[in-house]
């Protein structure tokens, strides 16, 4: 928790990748590999400073300064808070650093992080989940412990935070950030927006997180090991009142990003393309959500806009996206390789060895006040495994050809209830044939 003389809220790490101007603070951050952004919040204006040093070395022998952006919540009280962002640069890959943040008016507790390995042969380990709230965050304690045991290099939170960050004049958001600090102060906490962030045009989400790029954390991409990872907003298909142009801007950005990632020289070193977005294209839950319908907006687009808005399935298929991570449904579901509502397994015996379509994983059962969902008793043939247990997903991008996924049940005390290896000798559009 980052203190000043009066109030404190939380500390969170995220990965920077690109030189960009942050849209809130208008400050140039040279967000390059070998760096880390530390974000924290105070209720009054103070200096933004991080003091840090190598573990085992002299404490706090380095320091970096940043800026604080005023965030005024749109609730009745119009509560004010200052979001501090400091970028640490020239970090040594795989080295562990100890740090605290704040100012001479007060410092946080001491935390540590390990600078990520910048090698394309690095095998990063992820915890992946969505839909975690303040109330009933059942998986949180296990995730806290496993993070502090060093089991993860990065967290992917696939939308829906706090339930909801804006509630009680954003105090629920404050409390949620305190809750995840025991994870997010130690490893990069990478996010995408969900429907529960939509109030006041996603303002709590856009202000509280510090993802790469210039889109207020709505969509961005980054590289780690042999993977190119894309975070996107599925919400642009559902909240047109906040600007239909966002839908088309994101689509064009996705197309350009995928084109770049598919250049032979890029796909050769980062063959895996992984996407994360909140609302799935497919699911077999017993509700009326978008993914239960054949004409899912996320999958097939919108016909009632001018011009019609394209969906994402054809785009991702055309550019050879390997794995698609989703949440929103408060369940876990693994799909067979699927495209166009049809199964395209690699083979009958080994469906995930050289699959002929992307692999979809839905992991929205981390725990929130809405509890878990129910499944339709008659799923379509693309549904391979389902669980209503609270839990989360682990993923490791092992090397250029092997990626491992497993599902942890918190209800069953951390038991691994599902696992697959995705094996691909070839990546890209041509891999489907």
């Amino acid at each position: 928790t980052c203190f000043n003389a009066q109030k404190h809220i939380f500390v969170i790490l995220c990965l920077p990748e690109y030189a960009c101007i942050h849209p809130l603070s208008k400050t140039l951050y040279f967000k390059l590999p070998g760096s880390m952004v530390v974000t924290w919040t105070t209720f009054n204006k103070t200096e933004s400073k991080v003091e840090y040093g190598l573990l085992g070395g002299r404490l706090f022998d380095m320091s970096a300064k940043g800026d604080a952006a005023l965030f005024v919540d749109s609730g009745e009280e119009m509560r004010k808070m200052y979001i501090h962002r400091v970028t640490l640069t020239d970090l040594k890959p795989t080295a562990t650093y100890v740090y605290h943040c704040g100012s001479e008016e007060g410092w946080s507790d001491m935390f540590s992080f390990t600078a990520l390995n910048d090698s394309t042969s690095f095998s990063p380990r992820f915890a992946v989940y969505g839909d975690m709230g303040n109330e009933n965050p059942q998986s949180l304690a296990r995730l806290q412990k496993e993070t502090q045991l060093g089991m993860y290099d990065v967290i992917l939170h696939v939308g829906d935070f706090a339930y909801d960050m804006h509630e009680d004049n954003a105090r629920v958001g404050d409390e949620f950030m305190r809750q995840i600090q025991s994870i997010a102060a130690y490893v990069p906490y990478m996010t995408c927006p969900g429907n529960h962030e939509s109030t006041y045009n996603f303002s709590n989400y856009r202000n509280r997180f510090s993802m790469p790029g210039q889109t207020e954390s709505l969509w961005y991409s980054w590289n780690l090991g042999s993977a190119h990872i894309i975070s996107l907003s599925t919400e642009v298909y559902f909240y047109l009142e906040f600007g239909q142009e966002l839908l088309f801007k994101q689509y064009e950005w996705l197309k350009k990003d995928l084109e770049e990632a598919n250049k032979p020289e890029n796909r050769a070193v980062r063959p895996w393309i992984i996407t994360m977005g909140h609302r799935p294209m497919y699911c077999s839950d017993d509700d009326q959500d978008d993914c239960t319908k054949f004409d899912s907006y996320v999958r097939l687009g919108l016909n009632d806009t001018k011009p019609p808005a394209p969906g994402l399935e054809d785009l991702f298929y055309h550019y050879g996206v390997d794995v698609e991570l989703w949440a929103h449904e408060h369940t876990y579901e693994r799909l067979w390789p699927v495209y166009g509502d049809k199964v395209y397994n690699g083979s009958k015996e080994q469906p995930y060895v050289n699959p002929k379509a992307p692999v979809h994983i839905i992991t929205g059962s981390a725990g929130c006040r809405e509890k878990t969902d129910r499944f339709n008793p008659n799923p379509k043939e693309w549904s391979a495994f389902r669980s209503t247990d609270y839990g989360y997903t682990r993923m490791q991008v092992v090397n250029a050809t092997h990626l491992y996924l497993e599902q942890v049940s918190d209800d069953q005390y951390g038991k691994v209830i599902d696992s697959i290896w995705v094996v691909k000798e070839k990546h890209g559009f041509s891999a489907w044939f």
Side-chain angles (χ1 to χ4, degrees):
T1 304
C2 239
F3 287 86
N4 64 31
Q6 286 81 30
K7 301 284 186 180
H8 62 277
I9 301 186
F10 71 94
V11 182
I12 185 169
L13 296 176
C14 85
L15 285 179
E17 279 285 322
Y18 311 105
C20 71
I21 297 175
H22 192 277
L24 299 172
S25 61
K26 308 300 182 193
T27 302
L28 186 64
Y29 287 167
F30 290 96
K31 299 185 172 184
L32 303 168
S35 60
M36 191 77 77
V37 178
V38 184
T39 303
W40 71 97
T41 303
T42 58
F43 290 125
N44 56 337
K45 192 169 186 180
T46 63
E47 192 178 26
S48 306
K49 191 174 181 182
V50 175
E51 295 181 335
Y52 62 108
L54 286 163
L55 180 67
R58 191 173 157 205
L59 275 181
F60 309 144
D61 63 342
M62 294 177 277
S63 67
K65 289 185 179 181
D67 290 282
L70 174 64
F71 169 48
V72 182
D73 177 62
S74 298
E76 197 175 293
E77 293 178 24
M78 302 291 285
R79 285 178 70 236
K80 294 180 180 179
M81 58 190 82
Y82 291 88
I83 314 286
H84 301 258
R85 293 178 174 87
V86 175
T87 303
L88 311 182
T89 57
D90 299 320
L91 301 172
K92 295 177 183 175
T94 74
T96 299
Y97 291 83
V98 175
Y99 75 99
H100 67 179
C101 59
S103 70
E104 298 308 323
E105 295 181 55
W107 294 97
S108 72
D109 289 341
M110 197 161 64
F111 302 104
S112 64
F113 68 87
T114 299
L116 289 174
N117 190 329
D118 59 358
S119 168
T120 55
S121 61
F122 175 46
S123 302
R125 302 156 303 159
F126 303 81
V128 188
Y129 54 85
D131 304 78
M132 180 185 278
N134 273 16
E135 191 183 323
N136 188 35
Q138 186 167 322
S139 302
L140 182 64
R142 195 174 303 281
L143 285 161
Q144 289 167 330
K145 183 175 180 178
E146 290 180 351
T147 299
Q148 292 173 21
L149 283 169
M151 288 177 63
Y152 305 116
D153 300 298
V154 177
I155 305 296
L156 304 181
H157 190 141
V158 193
D160 279 9
F161 308 80
Y163 284 74
D164 292 338
M165 286 196 282
H166 73 277
E167 289 186 9
D168 192 14
N169 293 280
R171 289 184 182 88
V172 171
D174 295 347
E175 183 55 35
F176 178 76
M177 302 309 267
R178 291 188 193 102
Q179 281 181 314
I180 65 164
Q181 177 180 261
S182 49
I183 299 172
Y186 296 93
V187 293
Y189 201 88
M190 309 303 281
T191 65
C192 70
N195 55 298
H196 277 269
E197 285 68 74
S198 64
T199 302
Y200 313 133
N201 193 7
F202 297 84
S203 64
N204 268 270
Y205 174 82
R206 290 187 291 109
N207 283 275
R208 290 181 185 272
F209 293 106
S210 309
M211 298 300 112
Q214 302 176 61
T215 64
E216 296 178 303
S217 305
L218 294 177
W219 59 81
Y220 59 93
S221 66
W222 50 293
N223 298 319
L224 190 62
S226 55
H228 179 69
I229 302 168
I230 299 171
S231 175
L232 60 110
S233 173
T234 56
E235 303 317 295
V236 295
Y237 287 90
F238 299 90
Y239 295 98
L240 299 179
E241 65 269 30
F242 297 138
Q244 186 177 301
E245 69 277 5
L246 279 177
L247 195 166
F248 293 98
K249 272 186 188 173
Q250 175 177 259
Y251 188 86
E252 287 308 309
W253 176 87
L254 282 167
K255 193 174 177 183
K256 284 179 185 170
D257 188 81
L258 287 163
E259 278 175 6
E260 185 68 22
N262 271 280
K263 286 181 177 175
E265 63 272 24
N266 293 332
R267 198 93 200 225
V269 292
R270 302 198 195 273
W272 293 99
I273 296 181
I274 300 166
T275 62
M276 60 184 267
H278 183 60
R279 300 197 207 207
M281 294 183 191
Y282 300 93
C283 68
S284 64
D285 291 75
D286 191 15
D287 52 33
Q288 295 303 307
D289 284 349
D290 183 61
C291 52
T292 66
K293 300 165 187 172
F294 177 78
D295 56 350
S296 151
Y297 292 168
V298 175
R299 186 167 85 86
L300 298 179
L302 302 170
N303 289 321
D304 53 358
T305 58
K306 291 184 180 178
L312 299 178
E313 185 173 45
D314 283 349
L315 181 72
F316 289 178
Y317 182 78
H318 181 75
Y319 286 103
V321 170
D322 300 292
V323 176
E324 302 180 20
L325 304 170
W326 312 97
H328 190 59
E329 304 304 315
H330 298 170
T331 48
Y332 167 75
E333 187 164 16
R334 166 171 57 82
L335 276 57
W336 300 120
V338 61
Y339 171 69
D341 211 39
K342 293 178 182 173
V343 173
Y344 289 94
N345 288 343
S347 67
K348 190 176 180 182
E349 297 76 23
Q350 297 179 302
Y352 297 104
V353 175
N354 298 317
K356 303 305 178 190
V359 175
H360 294 245
I361 299 289
I362 301 159
T363 177
S365 57
C368 68
R369 68 186 181 198
E370 294 180 1
K371 309 296 191 283
T372 53
D373 291 337
R374 293 178 305 183
F375 282 117
N376 183 324
N378 301 302
K380 289 192 175 183
E381 62 173 6
W382 38 252
S383 182
F385 181 92
R386 310 190 296 179
S387 173
T388 58
D389 286 5
Y390 288 106
Y392 50 92
T393 305
R394 296 182 186 133
M395 177 176 74
Q396 184 172 17
V397 182
V398 177
N399 55 35
T401 57
H402 287 65
L403 182 147
Y404 179 70
L405 289 153
E406 67 182 20
Q407 181 66 10
V408 177
S409 167
D410 193 76
D411 288 346
Q412 298 183 50
Y413 310 103
K415 180 183 176 183
V416 173
I417 57 170
D418 185 43
S419 64
I420 60 164
W421 282 93
V422 182
V423 180
K424 299 194 73 165
E425 295 162 64
K426 204 160 104 178
H427 296 265
F429 180 65
S430 63
W432 307 141
F433 306 101

